[in-house]
Amino acid sequence: MQLEQLEQTRRGILESKSLLVEMKDVGKMYPNGTVAVQHANLQAGPGEFLCFVGPSGCGKSTVFNMITGLTSHTEGELSVLQTTPKEARKHNDIAFVFQEHTLLPWLNLLDNVTLPLKLRGVPKKERIEEGTRVLELVGLKDYLKVLPRQLSGGMKMRVSIARALISRPKLLLMDEPFGALDEITRQTLQDELLNIWQREKHMTVLFITHNVFEAVFLSTRVVVMTPRPGKIADVIDIPFPFPRGEEFRVRPEFGEYVKLVSQSLKH
Ligand code: ADP
């Protein structure tokens, strides 16, 4: 995506009625009295890549759980895909990827990634086509019949991503997906994830990470959260065009943005 396009997308967000996520003064108090999130305001439009950074316990997962309707907000207004989170979830437009892969050990990769379609009664021929498509997207088309235990950690994560993509989601939420991977595998998967995101033009990704380098590399905007009660302290534009490759990681401007986000985290 070129810079101009990026700016158009940003402008579009403010004007458009097609916001994927809109939070107005959203707060969450758990039944035990813990205030996990307070006064959170955020808009996410089509085709964005937002990384959430912040110290442990600052409410990142709570924000994700509210967006997916797993837990309800207790303050403010939250709309997801123009409706309530619970309603949005029913339409298969939201998908998740977690750090721990949730693959079924007794199913081969094709059966693992097509399971969501099988549960919805999609015919076998279509399931195979779609399963092959997503496994190809993540570079695993030669492994359709392989069992998860035969795979490395990075490959298992690829399968989890493929399974999330099978429903062609408009919104993909990823909670520290690469946290358990070694640095080389992590960078390879970052590159691949950006490639996939660029191909699926209108898919918006919300991504939690502890790693500021990862956040700057991946994001169109970085959402910085403060410690409890979690607030959105800053939303920082990362105004560099895509595709971003190895050369972006070594550019001086990359370092400057890493510094900017790190400073914001310390405030
Ligand atoms: P993060 O993802 O940034 O690490 P979380 O959203 O998991 O933060 O947690 C935010 C705060 O809410 C923490 O203090 C955590 O202990 C608390 N919390 C999370 N889930 C619950 C729950 N179900 N009941 C009570 N407190 C919770």
Side-chain angles (χ1 to χ4, degrees):
M1 202 190 292
Q2 295 304 311
L3 199 53
E4 266 170 39
Q5 274 178 290
L6 200 69
E7 276 167 10
Q8 271 171 13
T9 310
R10 296 279 298 109
R11 269 201 301 279
I13 292 164
L14 300 173
E15 292 159 9
S16 123
K17 293 195 171 61
S18 58
L19 287 175
L20 279 92
V21 177
E22 189 167 26
M23 302 172 72
K24 287 187 192 158
D25 257 337
V26 166
K28 170 71 185 179
M29 185 198 275
Y30 283 106
N32 67 356
T34 301
V35 180
V37 177
Q38 242 183 5
H39 302 303
N41 290 291
L42 188 70
Q43 294 186 328
E48 287 211 84
F49 200 125
L50 300 189
C51 279
F52 290 69
V53 295
S56 281
C58 75
K60 302 181 294 298
S61 300
T62 301
V63 168
F64 271 36
N65 290 341
M66 290 192 288
I67 291 172
T68 55
L70 288 177
T71 186
S72 46
H73 56 292
T74 50
E75 296 277 336
E77 291 170 39
L78 171 59
S79 88
V80 178
L81 298 160
Q82 315 284 313
T83 181
T84 61
K86 284 203 173 110
E87 204 47 47
R89 237 179 118 181
K90 290 186 196 155
H91 299 294
N92 301 310
D93 286 333
I94 307 179
F96 329 86
V97 175
F98 302 100
Q99 184 171 338
E100 290 298 320
H101 74 83
T102 46
L103 306 175
L104 298 175
W106 59 89
L107 293 183
N108 68 34
L109 300 198
L110 186 63
D111 290 342
N112 256 296
V113 299
T114 55
L115 190 60
L117 302 185
K118 191 173 183 183
L119 295 174
R120 294 211 300 271
V122 173
K124 190 167 184 188
K125 183 168 172 286
E126 199 179 318
R127 293 204 307 263
I128 294 174
E129 277 169 16
E130 284 298 293
T132 311
R133 174 185 75 87
V134 290
L135 283 167
E136 189 167 0
L137 265 179
V138 299
L140 290 176
K141 80 169 170 24
D142 297 331
Y143 294 80
L144 304 187
K145 300 288 174 191
V146 163
L147 291 173
R149 69 162 181 271
Q150 294 168 266
L151 304 179
S152 66
M155 288 162 100
K156 283 180 192 150
M157 180 46 67
R158 288 197 173 99
V159 184
S160 297
I161 295 172
R163 191 176 50 189
L165 294 173
I166 197 125
S167 307
R168 299 180 188 259
K170 292 185 179 138
L171 191 58
L172 176 63
L173 290 104
M174 308 181 81
D175 192 346
E176 285 203 69
F178 305 155
L181 303 176
D182 66 83
E183 189 55 29
I184 302 287
T185 308
R186 186 178 189 135
Q187 290 192 5
T188 307
L189 281 176
Q190 290 167 0
D191 293 339
E192 290 177 6
L193 178 61
L194 281 188
N195 286 337
I196 291 167
W197 169 70
Q198 281 190 272
R199 283 165 73 164
E200 312 276 311
K201 291 238 176 317
H202 300 290
M203 182 173 74
T204 294
V205 181
L206 307 184
F207 187 108
I208 293 177
T209 178
H210 276 110
N211 185 314
V212 177
F213 292 89
E214 180 165 79
V216 172
F217 182 74
L218 293 172
S219 300
T220 55
R221 292 188 290 157
V222 176
V223 180
V224 180
M225 293 190 63
T226 55
R228 227 175 54 162
K231 290 186 179 155
I232 294 177
D234 231 342
V235 181
I236 299 174
D237 268 297
I238 310 295
F240 297 97
F242 296 89
R244 292 175 183 169
E246 211 37 53
E247 65 292 345
F248 180 51
R249 287 195 176 90
V250 294
R251 271 173 71 169
E253 296 94 325
F254 178 74
E256 283 162 20
Y257 273 85
V258 168
K259 202 166 147 191
L260 196 68
V261 174
S262 303
Q263 280 167 346
S264 174
L265 272 170
K266 284 179 194 142
H267 284 151

